[in-house]
């Protein structure tokens, strides 16, 4: 059985349905079977420019969203990444053992740095090294994420192996990625071949967890579809249909076969109406809870401070082990 799991999301805007179905929806039941650590990845967020005031507000907002989605602060450790200094310190040590070539090959680095060329900051290249530190500090058995993080988790495992080889014993166990089959990649409502993303310039491409019922209905009715009737064959060639069905299946807990059955031989409109109903029943309560929790900054801060203390104890102990094994100075 999994003993400890860990994951995090960047506080860079409103969380969306992809974050929920790819990540948070898996986190909630894991709290029953594992010790859970969920953090707010603010140090990663500054690898692209952020407005400081906005970032600060978004950190609390992300904490409020975690709670609204069912993350229980009595059971799980919730904290802001930048509040535990061991993350940055271990990242520096890993920076000194990770080959540059591994980082230059990362898809996310290539995508995010493409438009900036030589102007891209060093942090963008080092991003996956910090992520490896985030993870390995806590010795988790598994990391529940969406599919776009698979490459970063593979790199984390490679860095763990490199470190183990360097120090001559298996200090770090290799964490497993936990990626669900259907929620792994929720696609844009405007283009079924593109990932739903916070950074898409079209708001209509994503359902945000604080959208109103009207906004949800509007976005789903406008969602791209195709001219064919719905049938069960060759869904893999119809990305928009596949996406709407996957979302509905995940929201209702049904299989894909059960989900498609009532709509066979029909156009998209009945499917879209069912999707609106499912989304409204799940997303609206989350949005309302998020807004209510946001009003209580002192409560959110108290949770983040409690989480920081608990995380710091675990992370500091790992950092001391690593420093000692690397031959760095450790207080006798
Ligand atoms: P980010 O918003 O990039 O910090 O992502 C936070 C978490 O949500 C990660 O586990 C991602 O893999 C997951 N995620 C983000 N977008 C999607 C998506 N469109 N489909 C599924 N998972 C996603
Ligand atoms: N890179 C992840 C993302 O954008 C966020 C992240 C940072 C993370 N550190 C992590 C996720 C550690 C899981 C574990 O989604």
């Amino acid at each position: 059985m999994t003993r400890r799991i860990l994951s995090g999301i960047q506080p860079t805007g409103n969380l969306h349905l992809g974050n929920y179905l790819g990540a948070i929806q898996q986190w909630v039941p894991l709290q029953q079977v594992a010790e859970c650590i969920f953090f707010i990845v603010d140090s990663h967020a500054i690898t692209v420019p952020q407005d400081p005031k906005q970032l600060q507000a978004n950190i609390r907002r992300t904490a409020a969203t975690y709670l609204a989605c069912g993350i229980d602060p009595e059971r799980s450790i919730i904290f802001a990444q930048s509040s535990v200094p061991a993350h940055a310190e271990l990242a520096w040590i890993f920076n000194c053992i990770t080959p540059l070539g591994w980082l230059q090959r990362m898809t996310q680095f290539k995508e995010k740095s493409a438009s900036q060329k030589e102007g891209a900051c060093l942090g963008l290249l080092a991003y996956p090294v910090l992520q490896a530190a985030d993870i390995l500090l806590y010795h988790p058995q598994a990391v529940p994420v969406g599919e776009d993080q698979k490459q970063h988790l593979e790199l984390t495992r490679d860095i763990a192996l490199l470190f183990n080889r360097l120090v001559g014993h298996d200090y770090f166990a290799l964490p497993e990625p936990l990626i669900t089959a259907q929620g792994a990649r929720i696609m844009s409502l405007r283009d079924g071949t593109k990932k739903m993303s916070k950074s898409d310039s079209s708001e209509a491409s994503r359902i945000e967890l604080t959208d109103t019922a009207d906004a949800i209905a509007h976005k789903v009715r406008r969602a791209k579809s195709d001219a064919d009737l719905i049938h069960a064959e060759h869904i893999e060639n119809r990305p928009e249909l596949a996406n709407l069905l996957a979302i509905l299946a995940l929201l209702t807990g049904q299989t894909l076969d059960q989900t498609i059955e009532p709509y066979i031989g029909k156009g998209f409109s009945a499917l879209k109406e069912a999707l609106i109903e499912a989304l409204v029943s799940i997303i609206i309560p989350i949005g309302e809870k998020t807004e209510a929790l946001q009003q209580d900054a002192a409560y959110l801060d108290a949770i983040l401070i409690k989480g920081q203390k608990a995380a710091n104890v675990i992370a500091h102990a790992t950092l001391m082990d690593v420093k000692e094994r690397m031959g760095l100075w450790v207080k006798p």
Side-chain angles (χ1 to χ4, degrees):
M1 194 184 85
T2 300
R3 268 193 313 115
R4 181 181 284 158
I5 67 131
L6 156 149
S7 196
I9 296 183
Q10 301 188 57
T12 48
N14 282 333
L15 301 199
H16 56 72
L17 191 63
N19 298 131
Y20 182 68
L21 296 177
I24 308 179
Q25 199 186 34
Q26 305 194 59
W27 299 357
V28 174
L30 284 166
Q31 297 179 107
Q32 308 296 329
V33 294
E35 183 195 340
C36 293
I37 302 176
F38 300 118
F39 58 113
I40 297 155
V41 186
D42 55 348
S43 302
H44 275 103
I46 59 167
T47 54
V48 296
Q50 301 290 340
D51 172 68
K53 280 212 169 64
Q54 193 80 51
L55 179 61
Q56 216 161 57
N58 275 337
I59 292 170
R60 284 203 190 105
R61 189 171 184 76
T62 306
T65 310
Y66 284 5
L67 301 181
C69 289
I71 302 304
D72 177 356
E74 297 301 320
R75 270 180 186 269
S76 299
I77 298 178
I78 303 170
F79 71 101
Q81 178 189 29
S82 68
S83 71
V84 177
H87 290 244
E89 292 185 48
L90 184 61
W92 174 256
I93 295 172
F94 286 167
N95 275 335
C96 297
I97 65 170
T98 307
L100 213 46
W102 288 7
L103 300 172
Q104 284 159 339
R105 278 197 289 277
M106 292 288 115
T107 311
Q108 183 183 292
F109 172 68
K110 286 198 254 179
E111 280 171 9
K112 288 196 178 172
S113 63
S115 58
Q116 307 177 51
K117 303 215 170 70
E118 298 273 293
C121 71
L122 182 55
L124 206 52
L125 182 67
Y127 180 113
V129 180
L130 177 58
Q131 185 162 348
D134 294 341
I135 297 171
L136 295 173
L137 276 174
Y138 299 92
H139 304 283
Q141 279 72 41
V143 182
V145 281
E147 183 165 86
D148 59 353
Q149 294 304 311
K150 200 168 166 196
Q151 198 183 35
H152 289 160
L153 288 187
E154 278 160 11
L155 190 88
T156 296
R157 292 164 62 94
D158 288 340
I159 291 176
L161 284 170
L162 205 58
F163 180 85
N164 288 349
R165 213 172 308 133
L166 190 74
V167 302
H169 75 111
D170 290 342
Y171 176 70
F172 288 119
L174 304 187
E176 296 289 337
L178 271 188
I179 301 174
T180 58
Q182 284 167 11
R185 223 173 142 73
I186 300 300
M187 309 310 275
S188 155
L189 297 181
R190 306 300 305 154
D191 177 351
T193 62
K194 250 173 66 185
K195 197 180 74 164
M196 185 178 285
S197 152
K198 286 175 200 155
S199 54
D200 195 315
S201 58
S202 161
E203 276 192 25
S205 70
R206 59 182 170 266
I207 303 285
E208 296 188 350
L209 298 183
T210 46
D211 273 347
T212 61
D214 283 347
I216 291 172
H218 185 67
K219 289 178 186 178
V220 174
R221 288 191 189 119
R222 275 187 60 201
K224 192 172 168 204
S225 50
D226 61 49
D228 221 351
L229 294 179
I230 295 174
H231 37 81
E233 293 77 37
H234 306 301
I235 292 179
E236 64 285 3
N237 299 332
R238 301 174 68 184
E240 283 79 23
L241 176 61
N243 191 39
L244 298 181
L245 285 169
I247 296 173
L248 184 58
L250 282 162
L251 292 170
T252 57
Q254 290 186 311
T255 63
L256 272 181
D257 286 345
Q258 289 167 332
T259 306
I260 194 170
E261 218 268 329
Y263 309 106
I264 291 178
K266 299 182 179 162
F268 275 69
S269 67
L271 170 63
K272 285 184 170 180
E273 292 309 310
L275 187 54
I276 292 168
E277 197 179 312
L279 281 167
V280 166
S281 76
I282 292 180
I283 301 299
I284 296 301
I286 291 177
E288 285 172 355
K289 272 189 217 146
T290 304
E291 294 302 338
L293 284 160
Q294 279 234 109
Q295 305 307 315
D296 199 346
Y299 173 66
L300 296 173
D301 287 344
I303 288 174
L304 292 175
I305 291 167
K306 182 176 147 214
Q308 183 257 335
K309 287 193 182 126
N312 197 49
V313 171
I314 307 171
H316 183 75
T318 306
L319 181 67
M320 290 306 119
D321 282 350
V322 168
K323 285 179 80 168
E324 200 183 321
R325 283 164 176 75
M326 290 293 289
L328 293 168
W329 190 82
V330 177
K331 192 170 148 205

